[in-house]
Amino acid sequence: MNYKFALFLIYLISYSSLAQIPSNEQDSILIREIYNEVLANSEIYSNLRSLTKDIGHRLSGSPQADQAMVWGANLFRQYGIDSVFIMPVEVPSWTRNDIAEARVHISDGRVIPLHITALGGSISTPNNSAIRSKIIIVKHINELAEIDNVDGKIVLFNRPMDPVLINTGAAYGGANDQRSYGAIKASEAGAIGALVRSLTHSLDTVPHTGAMRYNDKVEKIPAAAISTVDARLLTQLLEEDSELEVEFVMNCKTLPNVTQGNVVGEWTGSTYPNEVITLGGHLDSWDIGEGAHDDGAGVVHTIETLRLLKAVGYTPKRTIRFVLFINEENGNRGGIEYARIANEESLSGDKIYIAAMESDAGGFSPRGFSLDAPYDQFELFKNWQSLFEPYGLYHFKRGWAGVDIGPLKKLDHRPFMVGLKPDGQRYFDFHHTENDTFENVHKRELELGAAAMASIIMLIDKHLPSPNND
């Protein structure tokens, strides 16, 4: 028998056999191929090293964010994407500069240094000179309305993340109001500065930055994050010495807005090219550390999903858009602009945005997915859970999917929205700090996250009902 003809017969028999395998078994086989590929041949860890070490942190408006956009577009092309384009977005530009110092002055003459860093968007201390005053310590922002002697003082918001919540993201969300609105409430009460306890369960000397807000109707005052160790120390010292004073200085600065953009790689669908599945992470990061977990991991998860699906020979029915969003950290303008354009395309009939997925919870071991979608789609989602049990993924519940894809919920045809859920117990040890570096991401855990993301995207593409057939 001719050798080539024999190989052809084997191929036909194998293909015919695969076609007869039940759909869930076919899915199981393909998911196993995806996991095999990522664990044996992945390039995700080296890509994260390149992003974090060659470029570094990538705050919106910075030159590093520009470099990261070029890096992402080139990597999409390297992995054979059909097309790449930049979706322009006007973003804020701000720098913390090089001074963020604080100390406590005790009545007996002792001076103890404190660990602080500017909250994102804060103004500098007046004329970049230090402010010094007595302090008021509160746990809730509304407490200030009941205190009469705040004028001219510095307020320390000292509410820890709830330690009994197993969901650390929920604990973070429950404490975030003091960082977001603390400067406004402190200024309304007459304070000259605000310090906010870092949002972490860790007891450390590493301050955690993050976005804060101002109200144009309220005088702006400088606001800084203070480490959890120092927040506790100040509380103890104030109990012993009611006359102590805190001093701090920062030289951060707001710069003019600049135009950057979302990096979009598009893989055209073979059956329903007008139906769009969006997946992504955010390219920007805070300007301390390297933005490795937040959200370098989500960026390389997204790019590796493209490589994985191509490596196992998958052909998508729908168009998949791989999006590296800009400006998640201090404005979410990238996500808002993406949704605005999606709405225009939806209203014109050019595109139907049927699903979206985001990775923005770190590069830790994946535990499952959260679904933000109508209840009638939940059973389909739950039916996939057994496919992931061999890989240790068990979280298949309704919940928040992500900040960047969140604005897509406002579309008339609400997308099926999924968020990757890694183990979150250590995430806030690194989140928004100088410790968010490449060295603190585990190679295998990062790879497993990419496999989970690629697998769920494959299932969405294969099995989500088409609105075209409704």
Side-chain angles (χ1 to χ4, degrees):
M1 180 182 293
N2 181 278
Y3 176 71
K4 290 184 178 179
F5 182 68
L7 286 178
F8 179 67
L9 284 179
I10 292 172
Y11 170 78
L12 286 179
I13 292 170
S14 300
Y15 183 82
S16 176
S17 299
L18 183 63
Q20 295 174 28
I21 295 175
S23 177
N24 64 333
E25 192 171 341
Q26 291 182 35
D27 294 338
S28 180
I29 291 170
L30 189 51
I31 289 172
R32 180 69 260 186
E33 291 179 2
I34 289 171
Y35 272 82
N36 287 348
E37 171 63 25
V38 79
L39 294 174
N41 302 309
S42 177
E43 298 178 4
I44 189 171
Y45 201 54
S46 61
N47 287 337
L48 182 63
R49 181 188 292 110
S50 174
L51 177 63
T52 56
K53 296 301 182 184
D54 296 341
I55 297 174
H57 55 69
R58 308 165 298 280
L59 186 61
S60 294
S62 70
Q64 293 92 335
D66 285 324
Q67 295 168 27
M69 289 165 57
V70 174
W71 173 91
N74 287 340
L75 209 49
F76 279 143
R77 296 187 185 98
Q78 178 182 321
Y79 289 144
I81 199 74
D82 289 340
S83 63
V84 180
F85 62 93
I86 303 297
M87 181 181 291
V89 180
E90 186 180 83
V91 301
S93 183
W94 172 88
T95 176
R96 71 183 62 250
N97 273 325
D98 57 354
I99 299 176
E101 299 172 357
R103 55 193 63 86
V104 54
H105 297 265
I106 304 173
S107 298
D108 61 12
R110 285 180 294 156
V111 178
I112 302 174
L114 305 170
H115 302 83
I116 69 164
T117 192
L119 290 177
S122 175
I123 63 170
S124 66
T125 49
N127 302 313
N128 297 332
S129 299
I131 58 174
R132 176 174 169 173
S133 180
K134 293 181 179 180
I135 64 168
I136 299 288
I137 300 179
V138 297
K139 286 192 174 181
H140 295 274
I141 59 176
N142 293 333
E143 289 179 32
L144 288 173
E146 303 172 2
I147 299 175
D148 296 327
N149 59 341
V150 180
D151 282 354
K153 294 184 175 63
I154 294 169
V155 174
L156 167 60
F157 295 93
N158 192 29
R159 184 167 85 255
M161 288 169 51
D162 191 338
V164 303
L165 289 177
I166 303 303
N167 183 336
T168 56
Y172 173 80
N176 190 47
D177 61 336
Q178 57 193 331
R179 192 187 72 195
S180 296
Y181 304 105
I184 298 173
K185 294 297 184 180
S187 180
E188 286 177 339
I192 60 171
L195 298 175
V196 180
R197 180 190 179 102
S198 289
L199 300 187
T200 176
H201 283 124
S202 291
L203 194 60
D204 59 30
T205 57
V206 181
H208 296 231
T209 191
M212 51 82 66
R213 302 183 184 185
Y214 286 120
N215 183 330
D216 289 338
K217 297 180 180 179
V218 179
E219 183 179 357
K220 296 178 181 179
I221 60 174
I226 185 170
S227 78
T228 52
V229 163
D230 291 322
R232 187 175 71 166
L233 173 65
L234 279 178
T235 302
Q236 295 171 342
L237 291 174
L238 188 61
E239 291 175 355
E240 300 167 3
D241 178 8
S242 61
E243 298 301 311
L244 67 77
E245 294 184 342
V246 169
E247 174 187 10
F248 75 96
V249 58
M250 304 186 302
N251 66 340
C252 38
K253 184 178 182 181
T254 298
L255 305 169
N257 289 356
V258 301
T259 299
Q260 292 180 327
N262 300 324
V263 182
V264 183
E266 191 164 280
W267 189 4
T268 305
S270 60
T271 306
Y272 306 116
N274 69 317
E275 296 183 11
V276 177
I277 299 171
T278 300
L279 75 152
H282 64 86
L283 197 57
D284 63 303
S285 75
W286 281 109
D287 54 335
I288 53 179
E290 297 170 347
H293 278 294
D294 187 21
D295 187 29
V299 166
V300 294
H301 279 158
T302 299
I303 297 171
E304 183 71 1
T305 294
L306 169 65
R307 193 197 71 80
L308 285 174
L309 292 178
K310 282 187 170 287
V312 300
Y314 185 74
T315 300
K317 295 194 301 182
R318 279 72 180 240
T319 292
I320 303 179
R321 280 187 176 169
F322 303 82
V323 185
L324 312 183
F325 292 95
I326 196 70
N327 187 232
E328 187 272 350
E329 294 292 3
N330 56 340
N332 195 30
R333 295 188 185 185
I336 293 170
E337 178 64 7
Y338 185 84
R340 185 190 70 79
I341 292 176
N343 187 56
E344 289 182 353
E345 292 181 329
S346 297
L347 292 175
S348 69
D350 291 341
K351 302 288 184 185
I352 303 174
Y353 286 75
I354 68 162
M357 182 177 184
E358 182 169 334
S359 170
D360 185 19
F364 301 99
S365 292
R367 293 290 177 254
F369 311 93
S370 58
L371 176 70
D372 189 352
Y375 280 97
D376 60 359
Q377 295 178 328
F378 186 63
E379 284 306 311
L380 174 65
F381 177 70
K382 284 288 288 184
N383 286 339
W384 296 334
Q385 184 170 357
S386 62
L387 293 168
F388 290 90
E389 288 176 356
Y391 309 100
L393 279 72
Y394 54 83
H395 182 103
F396 278 70
K397 297 181 180 180
R398 295 181 61 83
W400 177 244
V403 172
D404 286 303
I405 62 175
L408 291 172
K409 290 197 293 186
K410 296 181 180 179
L411 299 184
D412 288 341
H413 178 84
R414 181 174 172 174
F416 182 93
M417 297 173 65
V418 179
L420 180 66
K421 294 287 289 185
D423 187 320
Q425 296 308 312
R426 293 186 298 125
Y427 180 58
F428 292 100
D429 293 358
F430 307 106
H431 183 251
H432 296 181
T433 76
E434 63 185 29
N435 288 337
D436 188 8
T437 61
F438 172 76
E439 290 79 7
N440 285 320
V441 179
H442 190 279
K443 178 178 181 291
R444 185 175 178 86
E445 293 181 352
L446 185 68
E447 292 168 348
L448 291 170
M453 194 168 186
S455 298
I456 202 77
I457 287 295
M458 177 273 293
L459 292 172
I460 291 170
D461 180 56
K462 285 185 65 178
H463 300 299
L464 197 66
S466 172
N468 289 321
N469 295 332
D470 288 349

